[in-house]
Structure formats: C-alpha cells, structure tokens
Amino acid sequence: MFEQLGLIGCGLMGGSFALALKRAGLVKRVVGYSKSPSTTERAYQMGVIDVEAPSALLAVSGADIVLIAVPVAASEATFKSIKHLVTPQMLIMDVGSTKRDVVDAGRRALREQIGSFVPAHPIAGKEVSGVEHADADLYSGRQVILTPIERTLTIQLQKAVDVWSALGCRVVQMSPESHDAAFAAVSHLPHLISFALMNAISGQPQGKDYLSLAGPGFRDFTRIAASDAKVWRDIMISNREELLAQTKIFQRNLQALELMISSGNGEALEGLIEQASLTRAHWRMAQQQK
Amino acid sequence: MFEQLGLIGCGLMGGSFALALKRAGLVKRVVGYSKSPSTTERAYQMGVIDVEAPSALLAVSGADIVLIAVPVAASEATFKSIKHLVTPQMLIMDVGSTKRDVVDAGRRALREQIGSFVPAHPIAGKEVSGVEHADADLYSGRQVILTPIERTLTIQLQKAVDVWSALGCRVVQMSPESHDAAFAAVSHLPHLISFALMNAISGQPQGKDYLSLAGPGFRDFTRIAASDAKVWRDIMISNREELLAQTKIFQRNLQALELMISSGNGEALEGLIEQASLTRAHWRMAQQQK
C-alpha cells in the first residue's frame, strides 16, 4: 500500500505504528528520526525502522506516508522542519492526545500544504514509554479518532481511514473541538487526578507505609499515573480550557459526596454511589459489545 | 484444621473464603446464612455452603470458625445476634474495609467474648459482587491485615494468621487506627474519586458521547467505580474523619496542578507529574518483588 513511512519520533506510539504497518505488509521501508540519536539507533537495532535519518526533513524525503509521534508541544516545530518536502500526494498524520492545538500548529506551519495532514488520535497506550516497549499489537482493536478540517484532502483522509482500519482499529471522525472536549473528560482529567492522588499520598509523612498496603484496586486506579511527564505536561497545557472546565465539574461532584459523608447522609450517599456504579457497569457492557 | 465454618454473608467475599477453605482442605463443613434467603439458596446450589442456616445464630451453632462478611454497618447487629453462642474456643473474623468501627461494635456487642474476635481485612476484591462471582483464588497472593486489640486471645490470633497464610496470603498486623488511616488514603479516597468522576461525566449533556470514546486507561481507572453502593456507603461513613482528611489533602494537590495548568507553568507542572510518575513506578516495582 505504501512505499515508505517517514517516522518522526521513534517512541512507544511511533515505533508500534511502524511495527504494525510492517507486520501487515502495508509498507516497504521505514525511515525514522528521533530527537535523541540513541533512540533512533535503538529503533534501528530493534528492526522498528530500516534507515536512520539525521533530521526530520530527511525522514520525510521520499516518503508517501509520514507519522509524527512527538509530544504535542513539538508539533509546530516538526511541521516547520518538514514543510518544504510536503506534497499533496503525501499522507501526514500525528498521534497526539489533543487536536485543536495540533491543527492550529499545522495551519500555521504547513499553510497551503495543510490538506495532506490528517490529524489522528489512536486511543491506545501503555504505562511505560520508549521504543523498547513498541508493540505491533498496540493499536489492534482500539478506536482511532480522526479530526479532519475543511481543507483536508479527501484522498488523504480516505487513506488514513484505510490504513488504521487495516491495523484493526475502529475509525471515528469528529471535529478537533469535539475531540478535545470529550478527551478532557475521559482521559486528561483522569490523568490529572491520578497525578494529584499519587502526590497527595507520597507527600504525607506516612505515605510510604500507606503505599505498601495498597492493593489491586489501587494498582488499576493509578496505572495512568506512571505516564510520561513531558507528554502529559504538553497535553494539559494545550487543552487547558477544556480540562479546567472538567476539573471544576469533577470537584463539584466530589464536594457533593463529601457533604453527604460529613453529614452522615447514608441514603443520599448510597444513591450517588449507585448512580456511579451503574454508569460504569453500562459503559463496560457497551465496550464489550464493540 | 477446622470442623465447621459458620459463614454469615454468602456474597463475593464470604463465598470466596468458603471455597478457598474447602479447596485447601481446611474445613469439613460450611454452614451459611445470608440476609437474603435467595442468596443463601444460591450459595447452597453452587456448593459454596453445605448447609443453609435460617439465622446468623444458627450458622454459628457448632462452628469453630466464623466469618462475618456483611456490610460494615451491619457488624454490630450481627455480633449481637450471635453473642450467646460465642465461646473462647471459637475464632471469629470479619472482612470489613474499616476496622475501628468494627472493633467498637465488637466491644459493645460481644463484651467479655471480644477476645475471640480477630478483625481482618483481606486486600482483595472484584468489580462485581455476589456469590455467583465467588472464587477460590480471590485471596491467593493478597495481603490480609489483622488488627488485634489488647483483649484479643493469642490463640485465636495465631489461628487467624495460620488460616490466611494457608490460603496463600501475606499477613500484616497493625492497630485498627493505623489501618483506617492508611486505607482512607489508598482505598477509600480512590473509590470516592472514581464515583465522583463517573457522576461528573454522566451528569453532562454530552456525557454519553464522551463515555463512548473512553479507552483502556479510563477502563482501569474506573474499575473500582463499579463497586457495591451499600458496602461503600458504609465504609465511607464509618471512616469519615480519616477519609475527609485525605480528601482535603488530595484537593490541595489537585489545585496545585490546576494552578500550574492555568498559568501555563510547564516546568513546574512537569516536575509534579514526574514526581507522581516516579512514585507510581517505584510502588509497582516494590509490589512485584513481594
């Protein structure tokens, strides 16, 4: 399907995409570039990429598909560094967890070539980062959100739908704005909460003793707290308005529960817990039917 | 090791204990009672219990080991209903997630027989409840916290240590007060947060759409939100002081993160996320070495 993948950012997300594309026989050659030469080198040694490029621009040279898998704050600089080689025949995608800021960066940097860029957010991840954890199955069975704009070329959008579908993903399309509002609620806020919880416990004199007693519920609840700090710094600042709005709504709900606990209102408390429990159970059932 | 287990509350926790004890060959006969006759009936049909008792008192009659596996708020009524048959030769345990209130209920209801009661909290659970999910492996490899008091009989404490160890648990002893402070932080607060988050999202006009986009991070983070409403109502009200103190600390940490996001202070934000991420990674490594 593709001759050459230009991979910019050979970490967990980018490396897994390269491996998946290769395994599916969808690309002949992967040319990779990472900001850190040791990452590029490791990706080459692992067979994730076939050629090490010394710059982002050279990774794009000769590519018919490009994946930008860098922290979202690095998007604009990346677009700028490759813009001279972007053509309407090229499919360019990212994997960022925010979309409005990446689309804005693309408009500013790519200008008339913005049509080649199909903003993408695959809903997949691991609690570890780095190319050494790259996994050809990372995207399999996951949702991928595409957020095309009015200038996105239909042919590139169709290629993007096809390639993710071929990797076993369910492709969903929506506007960058709708994407960012939804993910502030179901992803960015949970991450923020998990960071706050870890810090709240570890900051206490007995925090270490408390942590030694934590069980499997805590393990699952805090899995996302192990996420990469730079990646999540960028996501949270990029999507700050939506995130802070969601944080406010969350705090109001938390305070409502606190009030019932402090006043000993068991009936009302049980009602709110029951509502949360049912919402979670319904969500899980819907997921399993997908 | 034991002749007869008197099981009061034949749900997930109680049923799993009965199955584990039977499989390990540690008990000859299980006599069970649940408040709901249909639960007792189902436990009998599933082979979790061998005899259905029509009351808690009759479940205790003839038992040399008794497990009380009821919502913590029902502890005192349960102790009262069985106290006439409690002897110093009998080991009585509970599985409650709070310990101070259960110990207080035991002192009030059992009086001079309190020595037979060894308060226990196995750190195990599932996102589903009910005897139909009972599992002989639920406790295997888990921690069990025992919180004896000065009047606890040494012989019964030793039996409690032996039986949980025989089921493959790591037994830890501490005071009821230390237990409740620790679990407010690493269990009760995460549950409260997960309930608040589910309600925060589902209460929004677009909540359903948002939820349909949620991925594996959200799945793990909200697993505990599916917990039983009555059980958690009781835990939160029982341990309200410690829980509300932890909630305050959490909110201060959340607000510190919010401030960095709203002011765009990426460096400070990255530092706090890094701290959370490292705490989680260290915790996970320590867990895996256990």
Side-chain angles (χ1 to χ4, degrees):
Chain A
M1 193 182 197
F2 294 103
E3 285 294 318
Q4 185 173 314
L5 167 66
L7 182 64
I8 302 174
C10 306
L12 173 70
M13 301 296 280
S16 297
F17 185 77
L19 288 177
L21 230 57
K22 284 182 166 204
R23 193 179 61 182
L26 293 172
V27 71
K28 291 189 185 153
R29 197 166 48 253
V30 178
V31 179
Y33 165 76
S34 272
K35 199 175 154 192
S36 149
S38 64
T39 300
T40 320
E41 172 69 16
R42 195 174 305 165
Y44 175 72
Q45 284 166 350
M46 290 176 60
V48 169
I49 63 173
D50 305 304
V51 179
E52 298 177 56
S55 71
L57 185 66
L58 286 169
V60 169
S61 176
D64 49 357
I65 176 170
V66 171
L67 192 78
I68 299 174
V70 300
V72 285
S75 302
E76 187 159 357
T78 306
F79 285 133
K80 276 186 185 156
S81 68
I82 66 169
K83 69 176 172 188
H84 294 300
L85 289 182
V86 172
T87 67
Q89 288 73 45
M90 193 180 277
L91 167 61
I92 302 177
M93 296 189 293
D94 75 322
V95 294
S97 295
T98 53
K99 296 271 70 81
R100 262 196 310 189
D101 61 323
V102 175
V103 166
D104 288 346
R107 285 187 211 265
R108 282 192 301 267
L110 296 176
R111 297 179 176 266
E112 61 281 9
Q113 301 296 354
I114 185 74
S116 296
F117 176 55
V118 180
H121 177 202
I123 314 305
K126 283 191 187 180
E127 65 182 295
V128 288
S129 54
V131 68
E132 56 272 30
H133 301 289
D135 175 357
D137 281 317
L138 185 69
Y139 300 115
S140 176
R142 300 296 176 198
Q143 288 193 95
V144 174
I145 319 296
L146 302 180
T147 65
I149 57 174
E150 66 290 349
R151 294 185 59 190
T152 308
L153 293 169
T154 313
I155 184 169
Q156 301 306 348
L157 176 58
Q158 189 56 52
K159 278 196 232 165
V161 171
D162 292 345
V163 71
W164 288 110
S165 301
L167 298 184
C169 301
R170 294 188 304 278
V171 179
V172 177
Q173 292 186 39
M174 62 181 66
S175 71
E177 292 73 24
S178 300
H179 170 280
D180 285 4
F183 284 89
V186 299
S187 172
H188 310 168
L189 175 60
H191 277 81
L192 185 64
I193 290 171
S194 74
F195 300 142
L197 178 76
M198 289 309 298
N199 290 344
I201 298 175
S202 69
Q204 295 178 51
Q206 302 201 65
K208 225 172 166 173
D209 296 336
Y210 292 173
L211 285 171
S212 75
L213 297 166
F218 183 84
R219 179 196 62 213
D220 291 349
F221 186 79
T222 59
R223 186 177 70 80
I224 55 177
S227 302
D228 185 78
K230 281 191 177 53
V231 166
W232 281 93
R233 170 201 68 192
D234 288 356
I235 291 169
M236 286 173 177
I237 290 184
S238 295
N239 199 26
R240 74 177 89 177
E241 280 174 42
E242 296 287 358
L243 174 56
L244 293 173
Q246 288 296 331
T247 308
K248 288 282 163 289
I249 298 171
F250 163 73
Q251 284 173 315
R252 279 204 300 275
N253 278 271
L254 181 59
Q255 283 153 11
L257 288 164
E258 272 186 294
L259 188 63
M260 289 166 190
I261 293 167
S262 62
S263 65
N265 187 345
E267 198 177 333
L269 179 63
E270 184 186 336
L272 283 190
I273 297 176
E274 185 74 29
Q275 179 191 314
S277 180
L278 285 174
T279 302
R280 176 55 168 69
H282 288 152
W283 176 78
R284 191 73 183 115
M285 280 193 291
Q287 290 286 307
Q288 284 165 339
Q289 282 159 11
K290 276 183 181 170
Chain B
M1 190 183 199
F2 294 103
E3 285 292 317
Q4 185 172 312
L5 167 66
L7 182 64
I8 303 175
C10 305
L12 172 70
M13 301 295 280
S16 297
F17 184 77
L19 289 176
L21 230 58
K22 284 182 168 207
R23 193 179 60 181
L26 293 171
V27 70
K28 291 191 185 153
R29 195 166 49 253
V30 178
V31 179
Y33 165 75
S34 271
K35 200 176 154 192
S36 148
S38 65
T39 299
T40 321
E41 172 70 16
R42 195 173 307 164
Y44 175 73
Q45 284 167 351
M46 288 175 62
V48 169
I49 63 173
D50 304 304
V51 179
E52 298 177 56
S55 70
L57 185 67
L58 286 169
V60 169
S61 175
D64 49 357
I65 177 172
V66 170
L67 192 79
I68 299 175
V70 301
V72 284
S75 302
E76 187 159 358
T78 306
F79 285 132
K80 276 187 184 155
S81 68
I82 66 170
K83 68 175 172 189
H84 294 300
L85 289 182
V86 173
T87 67
Q89 289 72 45
M90 191 181 277
L91 167 61
I92 303 178
M93 296 188 293
D94 75 322
V95 295
S97 294
T98 53
K99 295 271 71 78
R100 261 195 311 188
D101 61 322
V102 174
V103 167
D104 287 345
R107 284 187 211 266
R108 283 192 301 267
L110 295 177
R111 298 177 177 267
E112 62 280 9
Q113 300 296 353
I114 185 73
S116 297
F117 175 54
V118 180
H121 176 202
I123 315 305
K126 282 191 187 181
E127 64 182 293
V128 288
S129 54
V131 69
E132 57 272 31
H133 301 289
D135 175 357
D137 282 317
L138 184 68
Y139 301 114
S140 175
R142 301 295 176 200
Q143 288 193 95
V144 174
I145 320 295
L146 302 181
T147 66
I149 56 173
E150 67 289 348
R151 295 185 58 189
T152 308
L153 294 170
T154 312
I155 185 171
Q156 301 306 347
L157 176 59
Q158 189 55 52
K159 279 196 232 165
V161 171
D162 291 346
V163 69
W164 288 109
S165 301
L167 298 183
C169 300
R170 293 188 305 279
V171 180
V172 177
Q173 293 185 39
M174 63 179 68
S175 71
E177 292 72 24
S178 300
H179 169 281
D180 285 5
F183 284 89
V186 299
S187 172
H188 310 168
L189 174 60
H191 277 81
L192 185 65
I193 290 171
S194 75
F195 299 143
L197 179 76
M198 289 309 298
N199 289 344
I201 298 176
S202 70
Q204 295 177 52
Q206 302 199 67
K208 225 172 166 174
D209 295 336
Y210 292 173
L211 285 171
S212 74
L213 297 166
F218 183 85
R219 179 197 62 214
D220 291 349
F221 187 80
T222 60
R223 185 177 71 80
I224 54 177
S227 302
D228 185 78
K230 280 190 177 54
V231 167
W232 281 92
R233 170 200 68 192
D234 288 357
I235 291 169
M236 287 172 177
I237 290 183
S238 296
N239 199 24
R240 73 176 91 176
E241 279 172 43
E242 297 286 359
L243 174 56
L244 293 173
Q246 288 296 331
T247 308
K248 287 285 164 284
I249 298 171
F250 163 73
Q251 283 173 318
R252 279 204 300 275
N253 278 271
L254 181 60
Q255 283 152 11
L257 288 164
E258 272 186 295
L259 188 63
M260 289 167 191
I261 293 168
S262 62
S263 65
N265 188 346
E267 199 177 331
L269 179 63
E270 185 186 337
L272 285 189
I273 298 176
E274 186 74 29
Q275 179 191 316
S277 180
L278 285 174
T279 302
R280 176 54 166 72
H282 289 153
W283 176 79
R284 190 74 182 115
M285 280 191 292
Q287 289 287 306
Q288 284 165 339
Q289 281 159 11
K290 275 183 183 171

